[in-house]
Amino acid sequence: MSATPQKNRASRRVLAAAAGLVTVGALVAAMPAGAHDRGHGHGGGHGHGHKPRTVDVQLLSFNDLHGNLEPPAGSAGNVSKTHPDGTVELIPAGGVEYLATSLRTARKGNPYSVTAAGGDMVGASPLLSGLFHDEPTIEALNKLDLDVTAVGNHEFDEGATELARLQNGGCHPVEGCYEKGKKFKGADFPYLAANVTKEKTGKPLLKPYTVWKKKGVKIGFIGVTLEGTPDIVTANGVKGLKFHDEVETINKYARELDRKGVKSIVALIHEGGAPASTSYNYDCDSPGAGDGISGPIVDIAKGITPKVDALVTGHTHQAYVCTVPDPSGKPRMVTSASSFGKLYTDTTLTYDRRTNDIVRTSVKSANRVVTRDQLKAPDMTRLIDRWNKLAAPIANKPQGWISADINGRGSTAPEKPLGNVIADAQLEGLSPADKGGAEVAFMNPGGIRADLVHKASGSEGDGVVTYGEAFTVQPFTNMMNVVDLTGAQLVTALQQQVSGPNEASPKILQVSRGLTYTLDLTKSGADRVVADTIKLNGEAIDPARTYRVAMNEFLAGGGDGFPALGQGTNKLVGASDLDLFNAYLAAHSTATAPLAPPATDRITVIQ
């Protein structure tokens, strides 16, 4: 998701400081030997003696796992299904124990099966993975037999050198090896980043593409992340790198693959769209091809050369299986499998042995739910148990109590209950004069990665918020900043929620108590924020006055399309967002007086 983006400092706080590692140059040499021509080896060829002209290749794909090894809690762990009578069913889904079972079951009877991913496999991860710099997730993906993935923006959260370590292996440069006598092996699948180059040399950071081979069948995979990655990742994460246009890059490497005789090509793109319905079984080809989907992926799909046979996408955490016309006007499959391992896409690519190409007219695709009523994969259960044991002393520590679910990620409203709690925590922690003198706090919605769920996640008891649960909500462990902004800059920042790069997909900042305004969604652009309604503690914002504003370092750098917030001066660096969140929970809740979900009455929305 265009989320937020940051270097995961959790372990730095808990264990030690994260630091650089191998040279970025090592990334290109990083590719595991033979990773790109590894078949799954399920079954044999078709028939005996002479080979039929076509063979069905099964492409299994998913995206935006974000280190969710355990089933995601609360509303973030549901997928919605619309029944013929219009009723909507919520299905609990996800968790790698179930994802492994789903993929392994799907592969049975499919001798030609390849598994690919659309980026953001790691980053913004729950504590179980994030505490260990996502080594547990890479290990799980190896066990899942992932063949290839594109990088997403979150793969850059800790910078290119840490991405190199995830690919190549080796223990963390500061924290070392987490398990005695065990060295982290790295990914045995290639990470592809065709549109990411090193500024100094102009050379690709990672392999741009790979070719999967099985008994004479060859399929090329090109992987890209969104061109706007630098806008949604901290500056340190993308230092020394350039991000290029997705369409131009894919077309360039599709020509190269074609010249090499690879005619069947799949693009893995960490950018996506928004279907008109959030139900996973929505038909986004109704009334016509691709009519039910909007967003950046539509224009990208329309620009990518017809040489590419299918697009696996991600980033928006949505579920869709659509056909969007290619530049020649022919329909082409574009898919996305929600997020957090709740769905996978099962696509059939009919491969013509004579032309070595995919028969595009026969491509079939469907999203499947990773249900939790199937058997768990025992090897994944063992992996989770092993890492949980290491995390337990930190993860299980109680931080506070809540009386009911406080929705953040799972809320679709502009103002989220958990967003209010987080912004209030930041204001309270940074309002003392010696802590920055903050008068108002802003939180970016993409940085809220989960809900606070009342039901116990372990043995702690219902209503108890553990360190692990708090970390899952705020996994970036951003340092907080307090800066001077003029009233005029404050108003501009609020307008940037719904204008400029955020006009098509608004990013509504979560605001601390005392700040109120009206959001009129019947208007367009910056006018949607009604300027003369913006008040702080009941008083109109004075354009000429200076205000002390608290926000995480990502927003203070102008991230997520808020350049006005990047104009702050007189900066004071405070505690981390997670520390302030936990301190607030401790100060405002007890077992007998738990914190209740706050009212959402700061932003008045006109629809």
Side-chain angles (χ1 to χ4, degrees):
M1 230 7 231
S2 93
T4 53
Q6 300 355 298
K7 291 170 300 180
N8 183 335
R9 294 201 184 74
S11 308
R12 177 192 64 191
R13 305 183 53 265
V14 177
L15 301 167
L21 172 73
V22 297
T23 60
V24 175
L27 273 166
V28 181
M31 294 306 123
H36 47 287
D37 56 21
R38 163 167 61 89
H40 282 295
H42 304 285
H46 280 215
H48 302 282
H50 97 213
K51 293 177 179 176
R53 176 164 171 174
T54 63
V55 58
D56 282 349
V57 176
Q58 178 190 54
L59 170 61
L60 302 176
S61 57
F62 57 99
N63 50 278
D64 295 277
L65 181 64
H66 289 289
N68 278 263
L69 301 179
E70 296 176 297
S75 56
N78 293 329
V79 294
S80 57
K81 177 181 183 177
T82 301
H83 291 282
D85 64 359
T87 58
V88 177
E89 177 189 3
L90 294 178
I91 307 169
V96 293
E97 293 160 299
Y98 304 112
L99 180 61
T101 298
S102 290
L103 295 177
R104 289 163 184 170
T105 302
R107 288 173 190 146
K108 284 177 183 167
N110 288 284
Y112 297 85
S113 184
V114 56
T115 304
D120 277 6
M121 294 295 97
V122 300
S125 306
L127 188 82
L128 177 60
S129 187
L131 186 62
F132 306 105
H133 294 276
D134 284 310
E135 289 181 21
T137 297
I138 298 296
E139 185 184 336
L141 292 171
N142 288 344
K143 289 179 184 292
L144 278 179
D145 278 341
L146 182 64
D147 287 297
V148 57
T149 184
V151 293
N153 52 290
H154 282 282
E155 264 83 16
F156 294 93
D157 282 351
E158 294 189 52
T161 50
E162 176 62 3
L163 176 55
R165 188 180 76 89
L166 291 180
Q167 178 74 80
N168 299 336
C171 296
H172 193 271
V174 172
E175 291 161 27
C177 302
Y178 294 113
E179 296 177 288
K180 200 172 180 181
K182 274 193 181 178
K183 184 184 172 188
F184 174 57
K185 292 176 181 172
D188 64 10
F189 50 88
Y191 262 113
L192 304 180
N195 65 332
V196 187
T197 58
K198 290 176 274 188
E199 275 180 352
K200 281 184 180 171
T201 63
K203 290 182 177 173
L205 176 68
L206 286 159
K207 282 180 69 167
Y209 60 79
T210 191
V211 181
W212 178 85
K213 299 172 186 172
K214 183 90 185 278
K215 296 183 180 174
V217 173
K218 291 188 295 188
I219 298 178
F221 288 88
I222 302 168
V224 298
T225 185
L226 69 155
E227 185 182 6
T229 291
D231 301 330
I232 52 174
V233 174
T234 48
N236 279 342
V238 293
K239 200 172 180 181
L241 303 176
K242 281 192 82 172
F243 292 77
H244 304 273
D245 182 85
E246 304 94 338
V247 174
E248 288 173 17
T249 303
I250 291 168
N251 289 350
K252 169 187 167 182
Y253 287 112
R255 287 193 297 272
E256 190 171 312
L257 281 165
D258 187 57
R259 283 197 302 272
K260 290 182 172 181
V262 179
K263 307 294 182 184
S264 298
I265 302 171
V266 175
L268 308 174
I269 307 171
H270 191 70
E271 178 60 289
S277 163
T278 54
S279 289
Y280 89 91
N281 60 333
Y282 166 68
D283 178 8
C284 61
D285 281 342
S286 175
D291 283 349
I293 188 167
S294 59
I297 199 61
V298 177
D299 285 339
I300 289 172
K302 287 177 177 174
I304 290 174
T305 170
K307 293 182 195 300
V308 174
D309 299 296
L311 314 183
V312 172
T313 74
H315 188 54
T316 56
H317 291 203
Q318 301 296 310
Y320 48 83
V321 172
C322 303
T323 54
V324 177
D326 70 13
S328 69
K330 291 178 181 162
R332 175 170 53 197
M333 195 63 76
V334 179
T335 67
S336 174
S338 184
S339 64
F340 301 169
K342 292 179 290 189
L343 298 176
Y344 70 93
T345 311
D346 189 342
T347 302
T348 301
L349 302 171
T350 301
Y351 184 91
D352 187 326
R353 291 180 182 277
R354 201 171 297 169
T355 63
N356 297 324
D357 206 350
I358 301 300
V359 184
R360 280 258 300 272
T361 50
S362 65
V363 175
K364 294 186 289 291
S365 201
N367 274 328
R368 314 279 187 209
V369 182
V370 177
T371 60
R372 298 183 197 165
D373 57 3
Q374 57 188 320
L375 291 173
K376 295 179 179 182
D379 57 335
M380 293 300 180
T381 304
R382 288 192 296 272
L383 181 150
I384 288 169
D385 289 348
R386 212 178 81 231
W387 289 101
N388 261 332
K389 205 169 177 181
L390 287 174
I394 295 160
N396 297 339
K397 198 177 171 193
Q399 303 297 311
W401 292 263
I402 55 173
S403 64
D405 287 2
I406 304 180
N407 283 346
R409 193 77 184 177
S411 168
T412 55
E415 182 184 348
K416 305 170 194 310
L418 191 51
N420 287 358
V421 172
I422 291 169
D424 286 352
Q426 295 175 353
L427 178 62
E428 184 169 295
L430 299 170
S431 60
D434 62 336
K435 303 289 187 192
E439 299 168 84
V440 63
F442 292 136
M443 174 65 193
N444 52 317
I448 307 168
R449 303 304 298 186
D451 303 333
L452 275 186
V453 178
H454 185 262
K455 184 175 166 49
S457 59
S459 59
E460 75 274 12
D462 289 351
V464 179
V465 180
T466 64
Y467 184 89
E469 290 165 340
F471 181 99
T472 298
V473 168
Q474 295 253 269
F476 300 110
T477 322
N478 277 307
M479 303 316 288
M480 291 300 300
N481 289 182
V482 186
V483 300
D484 284 350
L485 286 171
T486 65
Q489 287 169 324
L490 268 186
V491 172
T492 300
L494 290 171
Q495 291 172 331
Q496 286 169 348
Q497 300 176 109
V498 289
S499 62
N502 293 329
E503 179 158 7
S505 182
K507 289 194 179 76
I508 305 303
L509 295 165
Q510 307 300 288
V511 299
S512 55
R513 68 165 57 91
L515 187 78
T516 55
Y517 70 95
T518 297
L519 184 66
D520 187 348
L521 297 178
T522 65
K523 295 181 178 173
S524 61
D527 290 341
R528 286 184 273 194
V529 171
V530 184
D532 59 10
T533 66
I534 304 170
K535 293 180 180 176
L536 183 59
N537 302 321
E539 291 186 12
I541 295 288
D542 178 353
R545 194 195 133 191
T546 296
Y547 295 84
R548 292 293 282 165
V549 183
M551 62 194 118
N552 62 46
E553 61 190 325
F554 171 65
L555 277 179
D560 258 0
F562 291 98
L565 295 181
Q567 294 166 1
T569 57
N570 193 18
K571 179 168 76 173
L572 182 141
V573 178
S576 75
D577 52 7
L578 182 60
D579 277 351
L580 293 179
F581 184 47
N582 283 330
Y584 187 85
L585 291 171
H588 291 270
S589 67
T590 63
T592 53
L595 182 69
T600 50
D601 54 5
R602 301 170 190 182
I603 305 171
T604 302
V605 181
I606 300 172
Q607 301 271 16

